Amino acid sequence: MGLNDILEQLYDCLPEPHFSSDASLSASTSNDGGAEDRISALPDDLLRNVVSRLTVKDAARTAALSSRWNGLWTSTPLVLEDRYLLIQPPAGDRSALPAAVSRVLASHAGPFRWVNLSRSFMDNQEEALANWLRLFADKGVETLVLVNRPWPLDVALPESILRCSSLRRLYLGVWLFPDTSRPAAPPRGPDVFPRLQELGICHTIMRERDLEYLLACSPELKIFALILSYGFPERVPITSNSLRCLLLWVKIGYAPKLTVLGYLDTADHVLPIGNTTVKAGVTNVIPNAVVPSVKVLALNVDFRVAEEVKTLLSFLRCFPQVETLHVKSHNEDENEDEEQDYKDTGGNLTSTFWQEVGPIECVESRVKKVVLDQFSMGDNEIEFLMLCKLRAKVMHKVVLVLPVEISPEALTENIWKLLPLGSTKCVSGSCEFALHTRPRFSCDYRGASDLSLSDPFPEGIVLMDRERSLRR
C-alpha cells in the first residue's frame, strides 16, 4: 500500500465537519441603496451560529461586512480545517500551510470547537506543533484531528497532547506517539481526558503501555478505533467501563458496555479475553471468556482455511448475546486471478465436520440477522449458511453480499446455485433472503462508528430480494 493509498483511506475515516465547504461567502447589492439590513439585526447568538457554519476563511471575512459583524468571528467558537486555508500553496513550500494555521490559532480568542489539521507536512515543524498544542490546551479544543502528511512516518508527537483535557473527540494520524512512562507525561488517571468520548489512532506507532494509558485516562470513552495499523502496538488490550464501539484487532479485558465489535480476524487464530485465550476448536468456553454485552459482531474469515473456519466457530461461542452477525469472506489471493476467488478447496475439513459442530448459543437462540459479505459460493461458506438456517431459531433475515467486481456471467451462475438454498426450510419458520453487492475493498469507518445506527456495518446495494431470487 503506497502513501497515497494510506492517506486516501485515512481521510475517509476522519470525522466530517458540520459546515458546508460548497457554500461561499458573497455580497449582493440592491438597487435601493436604503434597503434594510435585516440579517445584521439578528441577535448575536444567531449570527455566531451563522459564522460557525462557514469555512474559516469566510468566517474571518465576515468582519468586513459591516461594523455589526466586526468581532463576531473571534467570539465564535473556532471551526478550522486546514485544507480550506490555502487554495494553491506555493510550489515546494511545505511551511506555508503550517504558518497559515499558526496565524489563525493565534488570532482567535477561543474556545476551539473543531480543529482538523490533516494537510500539513510536520517534519521540521517542531516549534509550530508545540505552540499549537499549547493553544489547544489553553483554549479548550473539543474536537481535534491531527495528521502528519508522510513522510516521515515517525515524527514525534509531543507529550503536551496529553494536556488537552477539554477534548471530546481525538483522531491522531501518522505519528510516533509519546512515551507515557516519561516524567513529562501527566500521571495516569481520569483527569487526563475526563470528557473524551471518541478516539481514533490512525497509522501511528505506539507502545502497548501507551494505549493502556490512554484507555485508563479516558473514563467516558465510547468509541475507539485503531485504523490502518501496521504492527504497533502488537497487541491491543482493552479494559474500559464505558466503551460501546470497538473497531480493531483486540485483546478484551473488561468492557461491560461494549455492544459493537469488529472486525475480528480469524487469521490471528486466537482471541484473548481477560486471562483466557480462545483458540480454534474450543467448544466449551468458560464464563470469564465471554463478552455478553456485544449485540453486533463482525468477523473476517477465509473459509478455504480449516483453522480459520474452526476459529470462527470458537469466536462465536464467546459472544452469546449477538443478534446481528457479519461474516466477511477474506481471500489472501484476492489480487490474483479472478476466477480463483470463487473456488473453494473445502479447507481440508472432514466430510462430517459441519454435522458434528457443537452448540453455539448465539446462533441457536439470539442471532436475528446474518450478513455474509463477499460471499463466493465456496463449499464452507454454503455449509456455514446451512448451519445458520438449520439452527438459528430466531433468524429472520440473511443478506448475501457479492463483490461488485464479479462478472455478469459469474453473478448469474451464483444466483442459480443459490436457488436450492431458498427451498431449504429455516428452523425459525420464516426467513427473508436478500442479495446485495458492494466493492471488495470498500470500508465505511464513519458508518461503523456511528452509535445512532443499530447495525453500523455495511451491507451494500440490493440486487435481488427474497421473492425475485431465492424463492422464485
Side-chain angles (χ1 to χ4, degrees), residues 16 67 75 109 122 152 215 258 262 266 271 359 361 438 468:
E16 293 182 311
S67 59
S75 63
M122 297 309 301
L215 295 177
L258 184 64
T266 56
L271 175 62
E361 182 177 350
R438 76 181 186 94
R468 285 186 294 159

Side-chain angles (χ1 to χ4, degrees), residues 155-213:
V155 174
L157 184 65
E159 286 92 347
S160 49
I161 186 65
L162 304 173
R163 302 190 183 279
C164 298
S165 59
S166 57
L167 280 167
R168 294 180 179 273
R169 177 188 285 174
L170 174 63
Y171 280 75
L172 300 173
V174 200
W175 297 102
L176 173 61
F177 195 82
D179 186 350
T180 57
S181 65
R182 293 180 178 179
R188 176 186 299 214
D191 293 335
V192 178
F193 293 125
R195 306 168 68 191
L196 188 66
Q197 297 185 5
E198 185 174 343
L199 175 63
I201 303 296
C202 314
H203 208 63
T204 288
I205 301 172
M206 69 185 310
R207 304 165 188 84
E208 183 179 332
R209 66 170 179 264
D210 299 325
L211 178 56
E212 291 178 321
Y213 173 96

Side-chain angles (χ1 to χ4, degrees), residues 342 344 375-379 381-382 402 414 417-418 421:
Y342 299 96
D344 191 316
F375 192 77
S376 61
M377 294 299 300
D379 293 341
E381 288 175 298
I382 293 175
L402 303 181
N414 283 350
K417 288 181 179 178
L418 290 170
L421 296 178

Side-chain angles (χ1 to χ4, degrees), residues 142-451:
E142 294 184 358
T143 291
L144 175 61
V145 177
L146 193 59
V147 176
N148 164 46
R149 283 287 297 270
W151 293 92
L153 299 175
D154 58 350
V155 174
L157 184 65
E159 286 92 347
S160 49
I161 186 65
L162 304 173
R163 302 190 183 279
C164 298
S165 59
S166 57
L167 280 167
R168 294 180 179 273
R169 177 188 285 174
L170 174 63
Y171 280 75
L172 300 173
V174 200
W175 297 102
L176 173 61
F177 195 82
D179 186 350
T180 57
S181 65
R182 293 180 178 179
R188 176 186 299 214
D191 293 335
V192 178
F193 293 125
R195 306 168 68 191
L196 188 66
Q197 297 185 5
E198 185 174 343
L199 175 63
I201 303 296
C202 314
H203 208 63
T204 288
I205 301 172
M206 69 185 310
R207 304 165 188 84
E208 183 179 332
R209 66 170 179 264
D210 299 325
L211 178 56
E212 291 178 321
Y213 173 96
L214 277 181
L215 295 177
C217 292
S218 309
E220 299 298 321
L221 190 66
K222 292 181 171 59
I223 299 172
F224 174 53
L226 192 65
I227 302 166
L228 297 175
S229 173
Y230 55 102
F232 301 96
E234 294 181 356
R235 296 191 308 158
V236 185
I238 300 299
T239 300
S240 172
N241 287 314
S242 59
L243 202 61
R244 294 174 56 192
C245 180
L246 186 61
L247 302 169
L248 70 168
W249 286 262
V250 300
K251 172 183 177 180
I252 302 173
Y254 181 68
K257 295 183 180 179
L258 184 64
T259 58
V260 178
L261 179 60
Y263 282 89
L264 295 182
D265 198 330
T266 56
D268 292 336
H269 297 317
V270 296
L271 175 62
I273 301 178
N275 296 321
T276 302
T277 298
V278 179
K279 302 179 180 180
V282 173
T283 57
N284 295 313
V285 179
I286 60 177
N288 66 350
V290 299
V291 186
S293 60
V294 172
K295 304 297 183 185
V296 181
L297 177 65
L299 304 110
N300 275 321
V301 58
D302 188 340
F303 277 97
R304 303 171 310 162
V305 179
E307 283 300 301
E308 290 201 38
V309 173
K310 295 175 183 178
T311 302
L312 164 67
L313 302 176
S314 298
F315 282 6
L316 290 177
R317 294 186 174 95
C318 299
F319 303 95
Q321 303 295 319
V322 166
E323 297 179 356
T324 300
L325 176 62
H326 290 255
V327 179
K328 183 178 180 181
S329 292
H330 175 65
N331 186 337
E332 289 293 346
D333 300 323
E334 281 168 341
N335 293 325
E336 297 181 4
D337 185 70
E338 182 174 317
E339 286 301 316
Q340 185 175 343
D341 292 350
Y342 299 96
K343 295 180 181 179
D344 191 316
T345 64
N348 297 321
L349 298 172
T350 65
S351 59
T352 60
F353 172 82
W354 289 100
Q355 289 73 37
E356 296 171 354
V357 171
I360 302 175
E361 182 177 350
C362 67
V363 172
E364 297 179 11
S365 62
R366 294 289 180 176
V367 168
K368 299 177 181 178
K369 182 173 75 172
V370 174
V371 180
L372 299 180
D373 196 359
Q374 305 306 300
F375 192 77
S376 61
M377 294 299 300
D379 293 341
N380 287 331
E381 288 175 298
I382 293 175
E383 291 287 358
F384 179 73
L385 173 59
M386 293 303 298
L387 176 79
C388 294
K389 289 193 67 174
L390 297 175
R391 294 197 185 187
K393 298 181 179 65
V394 296
M395 185 174 70
H396 61 78
K397 186 172 184 179
V398 173
V399 179
L400 305 180
V401 185
L402 303 181
V404 73
E405 298 86 356
I406 189 173
S407 66
E409 295 79 11
L411 174 61
T412 301
E413 179 182 351
N414 283 350
I415 291 175
W416 280 107
K417 288 181 179 178
L418 290 170
L419 289 176
L421 296 178
S423 61
T424 303
K425 186 176 181 181
C426 290
V427 69
S428 61
S430 176
C431 184
E432 174 187 353
F433 276 76
L435 195 62
H436 294 192
T437 185
R438 76 181 186 94
R440 178 178 286 126
F441 300 112
S442 66
C443 177
D444 182 10
Y445 166 75
R446 295 190 184 107
S449 60
D450 188 346
L451 293 181

